[in-house]
Amino acid sequence: MSYDLIVIGSGAGGGTLAYALREMGKKVLIIERGDYLPREKENWDPRAVFINGRYNPGEKWLDHKGKEFEPGTHYYVGGNTKFFGAALLRLREQDFEEVHHYGGISPAWPLKYADFQPYYLAAEQLYSVHGKRGEDPTEPPEKTDYSFPPLSHEPRVQELFDLVKSRGLNPFPLPIGIRLKEDNREQSECIRCDTCDGFPCLVDAKSDAHTTCIREALQYPNVTLLRNAKVHRLLTNTKGTRVTKVEYERDGKTETVEGKIIVLSCGAINSAAVLLRSKSDKFPNGLANSSDLVGRHYMCHNNSAIVAISKKKNPTFFQKTFGVNNYYFGAPDSEFPLGHIQLLGKVKPEMLEGDAPPLTPGFGLKEMAEHAMGWWITSEDLPDPNNRVKVTDEGQIILDYTPNNLEAHKRLMDKLKKMLESCEKHFHIIPNKVYLSKKIPLAAVAHQVGTCRFGTDPKTSVLDTDCKAHDLENLYVVDGAFFPSISGVNPALTIIANALRVGEILKTRL
């Protein structure tokens, strides 16, 4: 079979792109390494998801020392969006410019916020993002309000929201992509459960790429989904100017399929790995890699999860409803950006097992979880060519990464603790005395970006501003790999918006 367009990967980038091109009548093939994620009770079981790794890929990658680890990535229709927390924020307008940090410089993008603005708006509408403009002091320009109202805060969270606001900060409704009708819960797909952030949604109410885009795209007879097919490499014509075939393994057999336009959307790590595995006599360093930048500049954020334990129980179910950006671009005692703060989903006892004091019994973990409020803080890590994806001769992925810009993250952690202590001291309502904090490890790759950066110069970038490889006529990369910098907010909405943008470009080309 030959297709007009082959999209490799069905997550935020690939799934959205396939949706954007579904009505053209062109033959589109989506190749997904995994299968449909099974709908089962274990979707909402924290032990199955977090402790037993029921939905983990079962593969091993190597760190820079050659030590094996299991990556926290997922191969299912919908990709990692099946498990994301659905916090869908735009990059700030200044994030597209050169920004100075404690650890160095975050480079300017070749395109600016205005180039992405209409696609951000379309992405928010498509992914049912609930929010409210005007409360985040750092939010970028937008004349149109969200199509869906902000999520309401449950009483304990509303109490905290009001306290934080009274301390002179600007908490804002966190933009969340779920299908919720709070004014008509009987017809609402979302039931505001306590197993959303980090869990697959058993009732299909999360706006993941599968339920939002792939299902709709497959209603069109010209769109085909090939599941359980792992792409190993791309093959070119003899001149090396075009990709002609995609080679994949399915049911233990190696097969190929032809396409006129090829789009890699495997996630920043696996897309780079496919290009590196596609080396040949003509491309000894891998495909699209004349710049030697494929796999380099890997970024994943400096992320930490913080659990604050209070004397007062926290009966909240759906907790992830507000964020704080007052320190995003700095603070009175910090000339450089610090980052973003948001609430985490409901803390479960199983989530505390590895970080609670040694020998804490099960009932102790349960008690701690019932009094816990979870937070997530994100600081920008900077593009470093030595932070990179490589592959062994056998094709195994090596993730060589050293964290940077850690001073900003340390300061942001201090700001969060002082914010909570201020609420305790002056209101005696949230006496947070105990903190369990954990720097998110190398294996957590949900925010992966940067391995095929886009730009105008083929010597300093892998892709052009259309996200087409400089070196080839028909190869595009449409996932987080194109980011020149990562900003300080979740990258998912920008990946989705960019997929819609590239979709418009490909409509013209097709």
Side-chain angles (χ1 to χ4, degrees):
M1 294 289 289
S2 179
Y3 292 85
D4 296 299
L5 180 76
I6 298 177
V7 181
I8 305 168
S10 62
T16 304
L17 180 66
Y19 171 89
L21 300 174
R22 71 197 186 284
E23 296 179 328
M24 290 193 65
K26 301 294 184 180
K27 291 173 63 178
V28 177
L29 174 66
I30 308 163
I31 302 179
E32 170 52 49
R33 177 173 174 170
D35 207 333
Y36 290 111
L37 191 146
R39 296 182 68 188
E40 54 190 6
K41 290 191 297 182
E42 287 84 357
N43 289 173
W44 283 349
D45 183 343
R47 181 162 296 281
V49 174
F50 290 97
I51 304 300
N52 299 335
R54 184 177 181 85
Y55 304 107
N56 290 355
E59 68 177 354
K60 298 293 184 181
W61 294 355
L62 302 174
D63 65 14
H64 71 286
K65 295 182 178 180
K67 183 179 179 180
E68 286 192 336
F69 66 94
E70 184 174 25
T73 194
H74 303 284
Y75 302 133
Y76 294 101
V77 177
N80 282 321
T81 66
K82 296 299 291 186
F83 291 81
F84 74 164
L88 297 173
L89 298 100
R90 302 183 182 194
L91 269 64
R92 315 292 92 175
E93 188 172 22
Q94 189 177 332
D95 286 326
F96 291 87
E97 308 296 339
E98 181 178 284
V99 180
H100 289 252
H101 293 265
Y102 284 101
I105 295 176
S106 179
W109 286 42
L111 300 180
K112 303 305 177 185
Y113 171 76
D115 297 304
F116 285 85
Q117 179 274 329
Y119 303 105
Y120 273 135
L121 185 60
E124 289 165 347
Q125 293 168 343
L126 175 61
Y127 276 73
S128 304
V129 180
H130 294 250
K132 184 178 181 181
R133 309 213 195 272
E135 296 196 16
D136 175 1
T138 70
E139 71 179 4
E142 179 56 70
K143 296 180 181 178
T144 306
D145 205 351
Y146 286 97
S147 298
F148 302 90
L151 303 181
S152 64
H153 306 307
E154 294 181 38
R156 182 65 165 155
V157 175
Q158 183 67 57
E159 184 178 46
L160 179 57
F161 182 95
D162 294 340
L163 286 169
V164 171
K165 193 170 185 177
S166 72
R167 304 314 303 150
L169 300 176
N170 302 93
F172 63 94
L174 196 62
I176 298 289
I178 54 175
R179 290 181 278 274
L180 171 67
K181 297 179 181 178
E182 292 203 287
D183 59 347
N184 190 342
R185 295 292 291 275
E186 183 66 26
Q187 295 184 5
S188 176
E189 293 172 70
C190 176
I191 61 172
R192 288 191 67 124
C193 70
D194 60 354
T195 49
C196 182
D197 193 2
F199 294 84
C201 183
L202 182 57
V203 296
D204 285 351
K206 187 186 294 186
S207 297
D208 59 53
H210 165 218
T211 58
T212 303
C213 294
I214 296 293
R215 279 183 178 171
E216 175 63 21
L218 291 178
Q219 297 302 308
Y220 291 76
N222 54 295
V223 180
T224 303
L225 173 63
L226 178 65
R227 310 192 309 275
N228 299 307
K230 180 182 177 180
V231 171
H232 284 295
R233 59 183 184 141
L234 308 178
L235 308 177
T236 68
N237 60 4
T238 54
K239 292 182 179 180
T241 57
R242 298 176 60 85
V243 175
T244 55
K245 295 181 180 180
V246 176
E247 182 181 286
Y248 62 90
E249 181 182 343
R250 189 169 191 246
D251 296 330
K253 299 178 181 179
T254 299
E255 302 179 15
T256 61
V257 62
E258 297 181 1
K260 296 178 182 177
I261 294 177
I262 310 300
V263 179
L264 274 175
S265 296
C266 311
I269 295 170
N270 273 294
S271 286
V274 169
L275 294 175
L276 294 172
R277 291 190 194 108
S278 301
K279 63 183 181 180
S280 62
D281 292 341
K282 196 167 191 65
F283 302 103
N285 295 322
L287 200 59
N289 198 24
S290 63
S291 62
D292 190 34
L293 292 176
V294 169
R296 295 186 183 270
H297 300 110
Y298 171 72
M299 294 165 282
C300 57
H301 276 144
N302 291 317
N303 288 314
S304 287
I306 301 94
V307 175
I309 309 297
S310 171
K311 292 180 181 178
K312 188 174 181 179
K313 279 193 175 184
N314 176 18
T316 308
F317 278 83
F318 196 97
Q319 183 172 279
K320 190 171 181 169
T321 54
F322 82 78
V324 178
N325 271 343
N326 287 85
Y327 310 116
Y328 192 86
F329 289 121
D333 59 353
S334 175
E335 62 176 312
F336 297 121
L338 300 184
H340 167 69
I341 299 170
Q342 63 181 244
L343 282 171
L344 271 174
K346 182 70 172 179
V347 176
K348 298 288 188 177
E350 293 83 356
M351 300 175 185
L352 302 176
E353 284 188 9
D355 304 296
L359 303 179
T360 303
F363 70 86
L365 294 174
K366 181 175 182 296
E367 186 74 8
M368 290 172 69
E370 289 177 350
H371 290 76
M373 183 76 75
W375 298 85
W376 180 268
I377 67 170
T378 296
S379 302
E380 187 164 352
D381 61 332
L382 305 176
D384 180 342
N386 295 312
N387 283 342
R388 60 187 299 194
V389 175
K390 299 182 283 188
V391 295
T392 66
D393 292 340
E394 294 74 30
Q396 187 176 19
I397 290 174
I398 303 169
L399 193 54
D400 187 347
Y401 177 79
T402 301
N404 59 47
N405 199 34
L406 294 175
E407 176 65 21
H409 198 64
K410 175 182 176 295
R411 288 172 177 253
L412 185 61
M413 177 79 78
D414 291 341
K415 291 295 183 187
L416 173 59
K417 290 182 178 180
K418 288 178 180 177
M419 181 183 82
L420 297 175
E421 289 164 2
S422 174
C423 294
E424 170 197 348
K425 179 178 178 181
H426 294 280
F427 296 92
H428 305 286
I429 296 177
I430 306 180
N432 294 286
K433 295 291 188 183
V434 181
Y435 300 98
L436 302 176
S437 62
K438 180 178 182 178
K439 181 76 167 62
I440 302 304
L442 176 70
V445 295
H447 291 191
Q448 55 183 281
V449 302
T451 59
C452 298
R453 53 167 43 184
F454 77 157
T456 57
D457 185 350
K459 294 181 180 179
T460 59
S461 57
V462 177
L463 311 173
D464 65 17
T465 54
D466 291 346
C467 287
K468 184 188 77 67
H470 288 298
D471 298 351
L472 294 129
E473 297 173 359
N474 66 334
L475 174 63
Y476 293 75
V477 181
V478 184
D479 51 31
F482 85 100
F483 281 48
S485 65
I486 195 171
S487 84
V489 295
N490 309 49
L493 187 71
T494 302
I495 296 171
I496 293 165
N498 185 60
L500 295 175
R501 183 183 72 88
V502 176
E504 291 297 313
I505 294 167
L506 289 177
K507 283 180 182 178
T508 301
R509 177 165 183 177
L510 286 167

